[in-house]
Amino acid sequence: MISKLRKRFQHRYNSFFGLLGVAIPTLIVVISYRLLLDGLGEVGFGVYLLAASIGSVMAFMDLGISSANIKFIAEDKERGAYDALARVVQTSACFYCVLGLLIVIAVAAISPRLDSIFGIPEEYQSSSFLLFILAAGQVSIYLVNNVYVGVLKALGRFDLAVIVNISIPLVTMGLGGYLVSTGVLGLLGLMWLGVIGSFFGLLLSVYLARNLCLGSGCELLSGRPSIETFKRMYGFSAVLTLHSFAGIFFAQAQKIFIGHALGPASVGIYQFAYTALSKIHTLINSGSEFIYPLASSGKCKLELRAVYLKVLLFTAMTAFVGLLILWWAADFIFGLWLGASVASKVVPLIPSLAVAFFFVALSIPGHHVLNGLGRPGVNVLYSVVNVLLYLFALYFLSVYSSSFGLVSYAYAYAISNVISGTIFQILFELLFWSKYMSDEP
């Protein structure tokens, strides 16, 4: 019965579980951030964020393989090529194992200099080397885990992906935040828990992905990594390296810039504002992610166009309402969440970031369609332009603004996303869709 309902309402079913897979982890993060702030203080929390950012920034070296993974799994499943599907998964997993090792080695090499670069307080310097290594290790496990979560999504089982996406933050953030706030764990213990929780999440995702594939007659673990499969994936994904870099730049590199210029405490303040607004973006992305494998499967153009328009309308309405509420009730929400003292530093960042994330959210359905149809170059161009506009705006504000500070980073982010987002939407509608719908099927 459940299986029949899932097939009948597949798009809504996957959209619902995509949303659920972000909503619950978001709630966990919101609660745990307050617990970590209470347990570690503003500076300690900032050090925690900086440590997590260092390894994450280096994840841009993934060469876009994560996007290729979902695309080719969906394609191979549609044509019944299960041996090729298994090779794609294991080639991706092998690649991320090697990449993860390189990330850990790179972080180990630069970590002795990070104390001075970010002004890490003396009380954390004795354990900072291990702190950065553990953070890099957690990122490495996360990358491999994404391969098997990608299998679940590409095969239309977003409900199973939710199980993994909830279990990991429940342990690493939820349990970790509680133990830190009660004094059981310190910053180093929190990072150890993150590595352990991520590893068990990886085992869970492998188990679920393997069982799902066995139901279709595919032994997932029988696949062997191959150079030929990597070349097949890289032919699509190479151009996405810059797109990955842009995403990581805004999610992680901003923290490093802020930490270097303004100190660890400012990183935490910016992250509170950025996290609250970015979670609305992530929620929308997860609710519309099903359109990626739909576009990859090569189904009817009219169906894809109809689904896209529905997703775009959902995106615009959800982003507008969600961001408007956060903007309008910022004092109350952040005061309740973080306390009046911290909230007074966070609230001035909200208007600019809210405007930015509205335009970011509008581009989500288009990005999924373009990647699914094997035309990622447009997304890459969008990302590169966005980063360049941000850097230019940040430089302009640093030179000509008499009060350059934390809010200036929010201004620069808003400027870059309003301009690049507007251009993307106009060109995508006027140029891409008109040509795509007129082409022969």
Side-chain angles (χ1 to χ4, degrees):
M1 180 68 178
I2 295 176
S3 178
K4 291 181 179 179
L5 287 174
R6 185 169 62 239
K7 289 180 180 179
R8 183 178 179 184
F9 301 103
Q10 184 177 10
H11 299 329
R12 294 178 184 177
Y13 184 86
N14 286 337
S15 180
F16 170 75
F17 278 102
L19 290 169
L20 191 65
V22 172
I24 295 179
T26 295
L27 181 61
I28 295 171
V29 168
V30 167
I31 296 172
S32 64
Y33 268 19
R34 177 58 192 266
L35 295 174
L36 291 174
L37 179 64
D38 291 341
L40 300 173
E42 286 186 35
V43 175
F45 183 69
V47 172
Y48 165 73
L49 293 175
L50 282 172
S53 298
I54 295 298
S56 298
V57 164
M58 296 183 180
F60 80 90
M61 297 185 294
D62 79 339
L63 306 179
I65 294 297
S66 57
S67 293
N69 185 55
I70 295 178
K71 173 178 170 59
F72 288 113
I73 290 172
E75 285 185 2
D76 291 340
K77 186 257 184 181
E78 190 68 22
R79 60 191 180 92
Y82 292 111
D83 288 341
L85 186 155
R87 287 194 296 272
V88 165
V89 174
Q90 299 308 338
T91 299
S92 298
C94 182
F95 170 78
Y96 281 119
C97 285
V98 174
L99 176 61
L101 180 61
L102 292 176
I103 289 175
V104 172
I105 293 173
V107 170
I110 66 173
S111 60
R113 304 189 61 183
L114 296 179
D115 288 347
S116 59
I117 292 175
F118 298 119
I120 302 295
E122 188 174 344
E123 60 185 295
Y124 296 105
Q125 291 182 10
S126 60
S127 59
S128 63
F129 178 80
L130 184 56
L131 186 69
F132 287 118
I133 294 297
L134 290 173
Q138 187 173 348
V139 170
S140 302
I141 297 171
Y142 169 81
L143 292 172
V144 180
N145 178 67
N146 270 354
V147 173
Y148 296 96
V149 172
V151 174
L152 303 174
K153 291 181 178 180
L155 298 184
R157 293 304 303 271
F158 281 68
D159 53 338
L160 296 179
V162 166
I163 296 175
V164 180
N165 290 338
I166 291 175
S167 63
I168 295 177
L170 188 62
V171 174
T172 60
M173 297 294 293
L175 179 61
Y178 171 76
L179 294 176
V180 167
S181 68
T182 55
V184 176
L185 293 180
L187 184 53
L188 197 58
L190 175 65
M191 299 309 296
W192 272 113
L193 182 63
V195 171
I196 295 170
S198 297
F199 178 73
F200 280 104
L202 171 61
L203 295 180
L204 176 61
S205 64
V206 172
Y207 171 79
L208 292 174
R210 180 174 182 265
N211 281 357
L212 179 61
C213 288
L214 282 175
S216 301
C218 172
E219 173 48 78
L220 190 63
L221 300 184
S222 68
R224 293 291 179 267
S226 69
I227 298 298
E228 290 74 19
T229 301
F230 181 80
K231 287 180 179 178
R232 176 193 176 201
M233 300 175 72
Y234 185 67
F236 166 79
S237 69
V239 70
L240 287 174
T241 302
L242 290 174
H243 184 61
S244 298
F245 172 75
I248 293 168
F249 176 88
F250 285 124
Q252 306 296 340
Q254 281 191 108
K255 301 176 199 171
I256 296 176
F257 289 167
I258 294 169
H260 177 64
L262 304 175
S266 294
V267 176
I269 298 301
Y270 191 86
Q271 182 66 7
F272 286 129
Y274 189 91
T275 296
L277 295 164
S278 68
K279 288 303 178 182
I280 294 178
H281 162 264
T282 306
L283 189 70
I284 294 169
N285 182 65
S286 296
S288 60
E289 194 175 13
F290 70 89
I291 201 173
Y292 184 4
L294 175 67
S296 298
S297 65
K299 296 247 177 112
C300 173
K301 290 183 177 182
L302 292 176
E303 179 187 357
L304 179 60
R305 173 64 173 170
V307 171
Y308 166 78
L309 291 175
K310 290 179 181 177
V311 172
L312 182 63
L313 179 60
F314 160 81
T315 297
M317 293 177 61
T318 306
F320 181 79
V321 173
L323 294 170
L324 183 63
I325 291 174
L326 268 179
W327 185 347
W328 176 70
D331 288 299
F332 172 76
I333 293 173
F334 288 96
L336 186 65
W337 178 26
L338 305 171
S341 176
V342 176
S344 65
K345 304 173 187 176
V346 174
V347 170
L349 305 175
I350 298 302
S352 299
L353 292 178
V355 171
F357 274 109
F358 177 75
F359 283 87
V360 173
L362 287 181
S363 67
I364 291 174
H367 288 325
H368 286 320
V369 168
L370 289 167
N371 283 342
L373 294 175
R375 304 178 187 183
V378 179
N379 292 337
V380 173
L381 181 61
Y382 163 85
S383 299
V384 171
V385 170
N386 201 4
V387 170
L388 292 177
L389 284 170
Y390 172 81
L391 293 174
F392 175 78
L394 195 61
Y395 172 77
F396 182 87
L397 290 170
S398 68
V399 173
Y400 296 101
S401 175
S402 59
S403 57
F404 183 81
L406 196 55
V407 73
S408 302
Y409 289 86
Y411 288 155
Y413 190 65
I415 292 169
S416 64
N417 279 286
V418 169
I419 295 174
S420 59
T422 301
I423 294 174
F424 174 83
Q425 287 301 129
I426 293 173
L427 295 181
F428 185 64
E429 191 63 36
L430 296 182
L431 298 183
F432 170 77
W433 275 116
S434 59
K435 184 177 185 304
Y436 175 71
M437 297 301 292
S438 63
D439 286 344
E440 291 295 327

